[in-house]
Amino acid sequence: RLVTGLALIGWAVYHWRYGHRHRVRFGMQVGLVGLGLWSFLMATAHGAGLMLWPAMLPICIAAGAGSSGEGLLLAVTAGLALHTLVMLVVTTATAVAVYEWIGLEVLRRAWINVDLLWTAALIVAGVLLLAAG
């Protein structure tokens, strides 16, 4: 947990300091094909499910992940299911909130600094891991 927490905080600091220089900026002008390709790439390559590994590691240990690997299979399956469920709930809640209450026009006029949100989320996750250890 110590190493993972420090790694998350380190990545957040790097992202805050240098991350904006390493991106191609398209904004909201990519079209449906570009959006689909980018979504597919991010969904398959970003590895957000790996962020659940520190939380799922005790399941491996508790199940006695010896030579059979049953604990590892259980942890991977639980992590995948938890990640998928949370992503669907958050995506649905965000879509409903924007469509029903905020309005779609806000997407054309306002912009949320997702980089700042991402950096804050990394720092919070790192601090929580350090506090739990």
Side-chain angles (χ1 to χ4, degrees):
R1 288 184 179 169
L2 177 67
V3 172
T4 305
L6 291 174
L8 285 173
I9 292 170
W11 181 252
V13 170
Y14 173 82
H15 184 73
W16 171 70
R17 181 72 178 105
Y18 301 108
H20 65 281
R21 296 181 190 163
H22 299 275
R23 277 186 225 99
V24 177
R25 297 186 182 269
F26 292 107
M28 294 177 66
Q29 307 296 320
V30 294
L32 290 177
V33 173
L35 180 62
L37 289 172
W38 184 253
S39 297
F40 175 76
L41 177 66
M42 290 299 102
T44 56
H46 81 295
L50 295 176
M51 291 189 294
L52 294 172
W53 183 251
M56 295 297 140
L57 191 58
I59 294 174
C60 290
I61 295 169
S67 59
S68 67
E70 291 173 0
L72 179 62
L73 180 62
L74 176 64
V76 169
T77 305
L80 178 64
L82 179 64
H83 183 257
T84 301
L85 177 66
V86 170
M87 289 296 294
L88 286 172
V89 168
V90 170
T91 302
T92 302
T94 303
V96 168
V98 168
Y99 188 76
E100 292 291 332
W101 298 298
I102 299 171
L104 298 177
E105 186 62 31
V106 74
L107 295 176
R108 291 183 184 89
R109 290 184 283 121
W111 190 253
I112 298 170
N113 188 346
V114 180
D115 288 334
L116 183 60
L117 261 140
W118 177 245
T119 303
L122 288 171
I123 289 173
V124 168
V127 168
L128 288 174
L129 278 173
L130 291 176

PDB file of all heavy atoms in Angstrom, residues 11-23:
ATOM      1  N   TRP A  11       2.465  10.096  -9.574  1.00  0.00           N
ATOM      2  CA  TRP A  11       1.854  10.250 -10.898  1.00  0.00           C
ATOM      3  C   TRP A  11       0.993  11.504 -10.965  1.00  0.00           C
ATOM      4  O   TRP A  11       0.973  12.200 -11.976  1.00  0.00           O
ATOM      5  CB  TRP A  11       1.036   9.013 -11.251  1.00  0.00           C
ATOM      6  CG  TRP A  11       0.412   9.116 -12.600  1.00  0.00           C
ATOM      7  CD1 TRP A  11      -0.899   9.310 -12.881  1.00  0.00           C
ATOM      8  CD2 TRP A  11       1.075   9.083 -13.863  1.00  0.00           C
ATOM      9  NE1 TRP A  11      -1.096   9.377 -14.233  1.00  0.00           N
ATOM     10  CE2 TRP A  11       0.101   9.251 -14.866  1.00  0.00           C
ATOM     11  CE3 TRP A  11       2.403   8.922 -14.247  1.00  0.00           C
ATOM     12  CZ2 TRP A  11       0.415   9.263 -16.214  1.00  0.00           C
ATOM     13  CZ3 TRP A  11       2.710   8.933 -15.586  1.00  0.00           C
ATOM     14  CH2 TRP A  11       1.728   9.105 -16.547  1.00  0.00           C
ATOM     15  N   ALA A  12       0.288  11.809  -9.880  1.00  0.00           N
ATOM     16  CA  ALA A  12      -0.546  13.014  -9.839  1.00  0.00           C
ATOM     17  C   ALA A  12       0.317  14.269  -9.966  1.00  0.00           C
ATOM     18  O   ALA A  12      -0.022  15.197 -10.700  1.00  0.00           O
ATOM     19  CB  ALA A  12      -1.359  13.065  -8.554  1.00  0.00           C
ATOM     20  N   VAL A  13       1.435  14.279  -9.258  1.00  0.00           N
ATOM     21  CA  VAL A  13       2.342  15.440  -9.335  1.00  0.00           C
ATOM     22  C   VAL A  13       2.910  15.564 -10.747  1.00  0.00           C
ATOM     23  O   VAL A  13       2.955  16.663 -11.311  1.00  0.00           O
ATOM     24  CB  VAL A  13       3.463  15.328  -8.285  1.00  0.00           C
ATOM     25  CG1 VAL A  13       4.538  16.377  -8.507  1.00  0.00           C
ATOM     26  CG2 VAL A  13       2.883  15.434  -6.889  1.00  0.00           C
ATOM     27  N   TYR A  14       3.321  14.444 -11.349  1.00  0.00           N
ATOM     28  CA  TYR A  14       3.828  14.475 -12.722  1.00  0.00           C
ATOM     29  C   TYR A  14       2.751  14.967 -13.681  1.00  0.00           C
ATOM     30  O   TYR A  14       2.995  15.806 -14.541  1.00  0.00           O
ATOM     31  CB  TYR A  14       4.310  13.084 -13.142  1.00  0.00           C
ATOM     32  CG  TYR A  14       4.682  13.031 -14.607  1.00  0.00           C
ATOM     33  CD1 TYR A  14       5.924  13.473 -15.037  1.00  0.00           C
ATOM     34  CD2 TYR A  14       3.778  12.569 -15.555  1.00  0.00           C
ATOM     35  CE1 TYR A  14       6.261  13.444 -16.378  1.00  0.00           C
ATOM     36  CE2 TYR A  14       4.107  12.544 -16.897  1.00  0.00           C
ATOM     37  CZ  TYR A  14       5.355  12.982 -17.305  1.00  0.00           C
ATOM     38  OH  TYR A  14       5.673  12.962 -18.636  1.00  0.00           O
ATOM     39  N   HIS A  15       1.545  14.435 -13.525  1.00  0.00           N
ATOM     40  CA  HIS A  15       0.435  14.829 -14.400  1.00  0.00           C
ATOM     41  C   HIS A  15       0.118  16.312 -14.245  1.00  0.00           C
ATOM     42  O   HIS A  15      -0.139  17.010 -15.218  1.00  0.00           O
ATOM     43  CB  HIS A  15      -0.800  13.984 -14.074  1.00  0.00           C
ATOM     44  CG  HIS A  15      -1.959  14.235 -14.967  1.00  0.00           C
ATOM     45  ND1 HIS A  15      -1.995  13.792 -16.273  1.00  0.00           N
ATOM     46  CD2 HIS A  15      -3.118  14.895 -14.762  1.00  0.00           C
ATOM     47  CE1 HIS A  15      -3.131  14.174 -16.818  1.00  0.00           C
ATOM     48  NE2 HIS A  15      -3.827  14.839 -15.923  1.00  0.00           N
ATOM     49  N   TRP A  16       0.150  16.790 -13.013  1.00  0.00           N
ATOM     50  CA  TRP A  16      -0.108  18.208 -12.757  1.00  0.00           C
ATOM     51  C   TRP A  16       0.981  19.076 -13.373  1.00  0.00           C
ATOM     52  O   TRP A  16       0.715  20.117 -13.961  1.00  0.00           O
ATOM     53  CB  TRP A  16      -0.199  18.450 -11.252  1.00  0.00           C
ATOM     54  CG  TRP A  16      -0.255  19.882 -10.875  1.00  0.00           C
ATOM     55  CD1 TRP A  16      -1.278  20.745 -11.086  1.00  0.00           C
ATOM     56  CD2 TRP A  16       0.766  20.631 -10.213  1.00  0.00           C
ATOM     57  NE1 TRP A  16      -0.960  21.989 -10.590  1.00  0.00           N
ATOM     58  CE2 TRP A  16       0.291  21.944 -10.049  1.00  0.00           C
ATOM     59  CE3 TRP A  16       2.036  20.310  -9.736  1.00  0.00           C
ATOM     60  CZ2 TRP A  16       1.044  22.931  -9.441  1.00  0.00           C
ATOM     61  CZ3 TRP A  16       2.778  21.296  -9.121  1.00  0.00           C
ATOM     62  CH2 TRP A  16       2.276  22.585  -8.982  1.00  0.00           C
ATOM     63  N   ARG A  17       2.226  18.620 -13.293  1.00  0.00           N
ATOM     64  CA  ARG A  17       3.344  19.438 -13.759  1.00  0.00           C
ATOM     65  C   ARG A  17       3.576  19.333 -15.270  1.00  0.00           C
ATOM     66  O   ARG A  17       3.805  20.319 -15.935  1.00  0.00           O
ATOM     67  CB  ARG A  17       4.607  19.023 -12.995  1.00  0.00           C
ATOM     68  CG  ARG A  17       5.834  19.781 -13.350  1.00  0.00           C
ATOM     69  CD  ARG A  17       5.768  21.218 -12.815  1.00  0.00           C
ATOM     70  NE  ARG A  17       6.994  21.900 -13.136  1.00  0.00           N
ATOM     71  CZ  ARG A  17       7.106  22.810 -14.099  1.00  0.00           C
ATOM     72  NH1 ARG A  17       6.074  23.153 -14.807  1.00  0.00           N
ATOM     73  NH2 ARG A  17       8.258  23.373 -14.345  1.00  0.00           N
ATOM     74  N   TYR A  18       3.543  18.120 -15.811  1.00  0.00           N
ATOM     75  CA  TYR A  18       3.935  17.911 -17.211  1.00  0.00           C
ATOM     76  C   TYR A  18       2.871  17.297 -18.099  1.00  0.00           C
ATOM     77  O   TYR A  18       3.038  17.244 -19.310  1.00  0.00           O
ATOM     78  CB  TYR A  18       5.159  16.981 -17.276  1.00  0.00           C
ATOM     79  CG  TYR A  18       6.347  17.505 -16.542  1.00  0.00           C
ATOM     80  CD1 TYR A  18       6.751  16.926 -15.351  1.00  0.00           C
ATOM     81  CD2 TYR A  18       7.075  18.578 -17.034  1.00  0.00           C
ATOM     82  CE1 TYR A  18       7.851  17.401 -14.661  1.00  0.00           C
ATOM     83  CE2 TYR A  18       8.170  19.056 -16.362  1.00  0.00           C
ATOM     84  CZ  TYR A  18       8.559  18.464 -15.169  1.00  0.00           C
ATOM     85  OH  TYR A  18       9.645  18.933 -14.500  1.00  0.00           O
ATOM     86  N   GLY A  19       1.790  16.781 -17.526  1.00  0.00           N
ATOM     87  CA  GLY A  19       0.817  16.005 -18.281  1.00  0.00           C
ATOM     88  C   GLY A  19       0.192  16.736 -19.451  1.00  0.00           C
ATOM     89  O   GLY A  19      -0.053  16.161 -20.497  1.00  0.00           O
ATOM     90  N   HIS A  20      -0.056  18.029 -19.315  1.00  0.00           N
ATOM     91  CA  HIS A  20      -0.725  18.776 -20.382  1.00  0.00           C
ATOM     92  C   HIS A  20       0.142  18.924 -21.624  1.00  0.00           C
ATOM     93  O   HIS A  20      -0.361  19.199 -22.696  1.00  0.00           O
ATOM     94  CB  HIS A  20      -1.144  20.156 -19.866  1.00  0.00           C
ATOM     95  CG  HIS A  20       0.009  21.039 -19.512  1.00  0.00           C
ATOM     96  ND1 HIS A  20       0.696  20.899 -18.320  1.00  0.00           N
ATOM     97  CD2 HIS A  20       0.604  22.037 -20.193  1.00  0.00           C
ATOM     98  CE1 HIS A  20       1.669  21.797 -18.291  1.00  0.00           C
ATOM     99  NE2 HIS A  20       1.639  22.492 -19.395  1.00  0.00           N
ATOM    100  N   ARG A  21       1.415  18.713 -21.514  1.00  0.00           N
ATOM    101  CA  ARG A  21       2.317  18.850 -22.670  1.00  0.00           C
ATOM    102  C   ARG A  21       2.368  17.598 -23.534  1.00  0.00           C
ATOM    103  O   ARG A  21       2.911  17.626 -24.619  1.00  0.00           O
ATOM    104  CB  ARG A  21       3.731  19.150 -22.184  1.00  0.00           C
ATOM    105  CG  ARG A  21       3.835  20.463 -21.480  1.00  0.00           C
ATOM    106  CD  ARG A  21       5.245  20.716 -21.049  1.00  0.00           C
ATOM    107  NE  ARG A  21       5.274  21.867 -20.173  1.00  0.00           N
ATOM    108  CZ  ARG A  21       6.268  22.174 -19.386  1.00  0.00           C
ATOM    109  NH1 ARG A  21       7.341  21.423 -19.364  1.00  0.00           N
ATOM    110  NH2 ARG A  21       6.218  23.226 -18.608  1.00  0.00           N
ATOM    111  N   HIS A  22       1.814  16.507 -23.051  1.00  0.00           N
ATOM    112  CA  HIS A  22       1.940  15.234 -23.746  1.00  0.00           C
ATOM    113  C   HIS A  22       0.650  14.786 -24.420  1.00  0.00           C
ATOM    114  O   HIS A  22       0.485  13.629 -24.696  1.00  0.00           O
ATOM    115  CB  HIS A  22       2.395  14.153 -22.753  1.00  0.00           C
ATOM    116  CG  HIS A  22       3.711  14.452 -22.138  1.00  0.00           C
ATOM    117  ND1 HIS A  22       4.897  14.127 -22.732  1.00  0.00           N
ATOM    118  CD2 HIS A  22       4.024  15.101 -20.990  1.00  0.00           C
ATOM    119  CE1 HIS A  22       5.892  14.532 -21.975  1.00  0.00           C
ATOM    120  NE2 HIS A  22       5.392  15.129 -20.902  1.00  0.00           N
ATOM    121  N   ARG A  23      -0.239  15.697 -24.689  1.00  0.00           N
ATOM    122  CA  ARG A  23      -1.516  15.340 -25.279  1.00  0.00           C
ATOM    123  C   ARG A  23      -1.745  16.061 -26.590  1.00  0.00           C
ATOM    124  O   ARG A  23      -1.352  17.191 -26.762  1.00  0.00           O
ATOM    125  CB  ARG A  23      -2.654  15.716 -24.328  1.00  0.00           C
ATOM    126  CG  ARG A  23      -2.869  14.701 -23.303  1.00  0.00           C
ATOM    127  CD  ARG A  23      -4.096  15.072 -22.502  1.00  0.00           C
ATOM    128  NE  ARG A  23      -3.750  14.884 -21.117  1.00  0.00           N
ATOM    129  CZ  ARG A  23      -3.384  15.845 -20.297  1.00  0.00           C
ATOM    130  NH1 ARG A  23      -3.386  17.081 -20.670  1.00  0.00           N
ATOM    131  NH2 ARG A  23      -3.055  15.569 -19.073  1.00  0.00           N
TER     132      ARG A  23
END
